[in-house]
């Protein structure tokens, strides 16, 4: 059991190693020369780690922004955090082994379903699979499943999500990328499709965000990184001013708190630059390597990759989706308590990654107007679903938190509203 635990907890949970091993296997199956196998595997891992480094820079900047936002506007409520739920489930509820084995079961069911059905997608976003394993284990245990039954049910539910979500998103992903080589492996897909549906209705005939024509004097705004900076710098600085010098200085140390906010905004842009560089390196290696898996194990399989792989296709839409989704989450934060639901604070990380990806989806089907209106609806939607799970989490001992990604939330609601009542009928 110790060796299995090592493989699951130390290897398979490290997404960079897992994706490098998959590239390694794919190149071996194609009988590539040894040097090419090693080079492709290493560059795949390197690309993923560069992508992750960019994400980490963005996360650090957004965590700071979340703190000054809450302080500046006096917000108190529930902070969505699947990481906190995972930690409590593993350390306090004693579900660590079950979560690890369910993680492995999801991956196995994913491969089996991809092999046996028309959904030929292999979900390669490791942390998303871990969050899905956490939710299915927690709610499966609450529904009365134990031991191998808990692992198999959680693995099956998670495996279905792992092939179904990329499949239903693929028509729009093909429109975004102009090809069919990759798929989206991110458990916020239901939100993307909801937002795209709204955008398609309201944005008919609207031009793409990527075709914005700037006056000659503002031509520099066509540069992706400068346009992101123009949005983020005033957002950070104004929010820091609302938070005040005392609170801001506690975070900035010896640096003036306004200057520090400005630098954090620039740091955000740095993170975007690094992230997109990693995406280009990763895609240049994983797609050719994955052909071996597709040809030998799951014919015609496509790799379902994390959401930043789509960012280079519509960078303006990423920024617009982030801003409009944030507006929607702020509106929902005030509206939902009127209906007896918890106040959910905006999660800036989710707003950026999920909101940015939703922006790409919305732009693909509804242009600028679709992103503007659909983004606000998206922000409301991704706040509503986690709010619905709060009573269930409270009943299970998770206080003042809820899940984030809407597909994992949907899996929790599936257990809570359908599977658990069925289980109760059989005693």
């Amino acid at each position: 059991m110790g060796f299995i635990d090592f493989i699951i907890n130390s290897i398979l949970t490290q997404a960079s190693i897992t994706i490098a091993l998959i590239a390694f296997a794919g190149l071996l199956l194609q009988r590539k020369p040894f040097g090419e196998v090693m080079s492709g595997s290493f560059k795949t891992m390197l690309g993923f780690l560069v992508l992750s480094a960019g994400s980490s820079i963005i996360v650090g900047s957004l965590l700071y922004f979340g703190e000054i936002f809450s302080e500046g506007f006096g917000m108190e409520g529930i902070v969505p955090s699947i990481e906190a739920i995972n930690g409590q489930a593993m350390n306090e509820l004693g579900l660590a082994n079950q979560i690890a084995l369910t993680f492995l079961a999801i991956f196995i069911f994913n491969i089996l379903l991809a092999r046996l059905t028309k959904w030929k997608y292999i979900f390669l976003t490791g942390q998303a699979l871990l969050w899905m394993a956490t939710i299915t284990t927690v709610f499966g245990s609450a529904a009365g499943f134990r031991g191998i039954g808990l692992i198999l049910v959680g693995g099956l539910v998670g495996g279905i999500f792992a092939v179904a979500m990329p499949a239903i998103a693929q028509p729009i992903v093909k429109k975004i990328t102009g090809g069919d080589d990759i798929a989206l492996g991110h458990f916020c897909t239901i939100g993307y499709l909801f937002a795209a549906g709204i955008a398609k209705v309201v944005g008919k005939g609207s031009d793409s965000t990527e075709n914005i024509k700037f006056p000659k004097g503002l031509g520099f705004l066509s540069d992706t990184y400068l346009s992101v900076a123009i949005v983020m710098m005033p957002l950070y600085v104004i929010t820091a001013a609302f938070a005040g010098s005392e609170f801001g200085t506690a975070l900035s140390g010896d640096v003036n708190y306004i200057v520090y906010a400005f630098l954090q905004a620039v740091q955000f842009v740095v993170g975007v630059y690094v992230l997109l560089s990693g995406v280009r390196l990763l895609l240049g290696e994983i797609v050719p390597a994955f052909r071996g898996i597709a040809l030998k194990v799951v014919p015609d399989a496509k790799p379902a990759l994390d959401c930043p792989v789509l960012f280079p296709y519509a960078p303006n839409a990423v920024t617009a989706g982030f801003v409009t989704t944030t507006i929607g989450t702020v509106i929902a934060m005030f509206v939902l308590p009127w209906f007896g639901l918890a106040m959910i604070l905006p999660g800036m990380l989710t707003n950026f990654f999920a909101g940015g990806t939703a922006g790409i989806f919305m732009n693909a089907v509804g242009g600028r107007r679709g992103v503007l209106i659909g983004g606000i609806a998206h922000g409301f939607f991704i706040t509503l679903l986690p709010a619905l799970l709060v009573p269930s989490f409270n009943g299970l001992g998770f206080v003042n938190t809820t899940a984030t990604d809407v597909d994992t939330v949907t899996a929790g609601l599936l257990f809570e509203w359908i599977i658990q009542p069925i289980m109760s009928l059989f005693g």
Side-chain angles (χ1 to χ4, degrees):
M1 191 65 179
F3 179 73
I4 294 176
D5 283 344
F6 171 77
I7 294 296
I8 295 173
N9 294 318
S10 300
I11 301 296
L12 294 181
T13 54
Q14 298 301 313
S16 62
I17 298 177
T18 300
I19 205 165
L21 289 174
I22 290 171
F24 180 84
L27 292 167
L28 278 182
L29 289 170
Q30 294 177 72
R31 301 183 185 276
K32 296 291 186 181
F34 178 76
E36 191 172 331
V37 171
M38 298 307 295
S39 174
S41 303
F42 178 75
K43 286 183 179 178
T44 296
M45 182 168 67
L46 183 63
F48 187 88
L49 289 174
V50 172
L51 183 157
S52 298
S55 295
S56 296
I57 295 171
I58 292 170
V59 165
S61 175
L62 288 175
L63 287 174
Y64 162 78
F65 182 73
E67 290 190 56
I68 60 174
F69 182 89
S70 296
E71 175 68 20
F73 300 104
M75 305 301 180
E76 292 185 6
I78 291 177
V79 179
S81 175
I82 186 63
E83 295 86 353
I85 292 167
N86 174 260
Q88 188 173 342
M90 295 181 72
N91 299 320
E92 298 180 23
L93 301 185
L95 295 175
N97 285 339
Q98 293 91 327
I99 290 173
L101 291 171
T102 300
F103 174 93
L104 180 59
I106 290 174
F107 193 73
I108 293 172
F109 273 112
N110 180 186
I111 294 173
L112 289 174
L113 290 169
R115 173 77 183 186
L116 298 173
T117 72
K118 63 180 181 180
W119 293 339
K120 306 298 182 182
Y121 302 95
I122 308 297
F123 199 102
L124 297 179
T125 308
Q127 72 272 20
L129 293 180
L130 180 60
W131 305 148
M132 181 62 76
T134 300
I135 289 295
T136 58
T137 300
V138 167
F139 281 91
S141 178
F145 292 98
R146 297 291 182 270
I148 189 66
L150 174 63
I151 294 164
L152 290 176
V153 169
L156 177 59
V157 171
I160 291 171
F161 271 87
V163 292
M165 294 301 103
I168 62 178
Q170 192 62 9
I172 300 180
V173 171
K174 288 168 63 177
K175 186 171 184 178
I176 292 166
T177 63
D180 200 23
D181 291 328
I182 62 169
L184 177 63
H186 195 223
F187 282 141
C188 294
T189 303
I190 293 173
Y192 303 151
L193 296 176
F194 170 83
I198 299 292
K200 188 172 184 179
V201 172
V202 302
K204 187 176 182 180
S206 181
D207 197 10
S208 169
T209 57
E210 310 313 300
N211 293 333
I212 295 175
K213 301 296 183 183
F214 295 100
K216 189 173 182 179
L218 297 177
F220 67 92
L221 291 177
S222 61
D223 182 282
T224 297
Y225 307 108
L226 285 175
S227 62
V228 172
I230 291 297
V231 172
M232 302 309 292
M233 287 190 295
L235 186 64
Y236 273 60
V237 169
I238 292 171
T239 304
F242 272 94
S245 61
E246 184 176 350
F247 185 83
T249 301
L251 299 176
S252 65
D254 295 333
V255 181
N256 177 274
Y257 76 105
I258 294 294
V259 174
Y260 186 81
F262 171 81
L263 292 175
Q264 283 296 315
V266 176
Q267 191 78 343
F268 180 94
V269 181
V270 171
V272 172
Y273 179 87
V274 175
L275 182 147
L276 294 182
S277 299
V279 167
R280 286 188 285 269
L281 180 57
L282 174 64
L283 290 182
E285 300 297 331
I286 190 61
V287 173
F290 201 79
R291 288 186 67 252
I293 303 291
L295 293 173
K296 300 292 184 179
V297 182
V298 182
D300 300 320
K302 298 175 182 64
L305 303 171
D306 203 357
C307 62
V309 300
L310 298 182
F311 286 7
Y313 294 98
N316 291 344
V318 172
T319 304
F322 167 51
V323 172
T324 55
T325 293
T326 299
I327 293 171
T329 59
V330 171
I331 293 172
M333 177 181 64
F334 291 111
V335 170
L336 293 182
W338 293 353
F339 297 92
L341 296 172
M343 175 180 281
I344 307 294
L345 297 184
M348 292 302 164
L349 300 182
T350 300
N351 286 355
F352 176 71
F353 288 104
T357 309
I360 300 172
F361 271 66
M362 292 182 290
N363 180 62
V365 298
R368 304 172 197 171
R369 189 164 61 250
V371 176
L372 175 62
I373 300 173
I376 295 173
H378 176 251
F380 196 98
F381 182 75
I382 67 172
T383 306
L384 171 62
L385 262 65
L388 295 175
L389 265 189
V390 169
S392 300
F393 276 119
N394 287 343
L396 295 172
F398 298 88
V399 180
N400 290 331
T401 191
T402 185
T404 45
D405 298 351
V406 294
D407 296 352
T408 60
V409 172
T410 301
L413 293 172
L414 175 67
F415 275 93
E416 184 75 8
W417 292 350
I418 299 176
I419 297 176
Q420 186 168 342
I422 293 174
M423 285 289 291
S424 66
L425 293 176
F426 295 96

